[in-house]
Amino acid sequence: MPTTLPTATARPVRRLSLGETVRFLFLVAEVRFLDLRLSVLHSGAERRGREPHGPTLLRLVRHWLAVHERIGALLPGIPEPPHVQQVRVVLGFLTERT
């Protein structure tokens, strides 16, 4: 039984300009760098037998979220990754309590 695939999408796909593409790639690189810094901070605290916390962790996570917001602004209509939403929920909970 032959299957017919749709040839057109329901909505037109917006392409990024060259400048937006370069900005997007730099933002992705920045997210990867922040992921690495957060991982090093976490593993260093584990080696010392402490929980990774404090102003450095909070500053890095807030910066990580800000970069994700800038990526989201470049890609409207694309939902945020679930792990970013989870961090926003946790930080929202923390700011409500303090």
Side-chain angles (χ1 to χ4, degrees), residues 25-75:
L25 291 175
F26 275 109
L27 290 172
V28 169
E30 190 172 2
V31 164
R32 298 292 294 172
F33 178 70
L34 289 169
D35 284 342
L36 179 65
R37 286 188 64 192
L38 287 166
S39 176
V40 167
L41 181 68
H42 178 70
S43 65
E46 277 185 344
R47 273 187 265 119
R48 290 187 299 267
R50 292 186 283 168
E51 288 292 321
H53 63 292
T56 303
L57 176 66
L58 187 58
R59 182 178 47 82
L60 284 174
V61 170
R62 285 186 175 159
H63 185 72
W64 181 80
L65 287 173
V67 173
H68 274 285
E69 283 181 23
R70 292 194 305 243
I71 290 173
L74 283 173
L75 305 172

Side-chain angles (χ1 to χ4, degrees), residues 83-95:
H83 64 280
V84 177
Q85 292 173 354
Q86 290 171 350
V87 172
R88 286 193 195 285
V89 167
V90 168
L91 282 184
F93 174 72
L94 290 177
T95 55

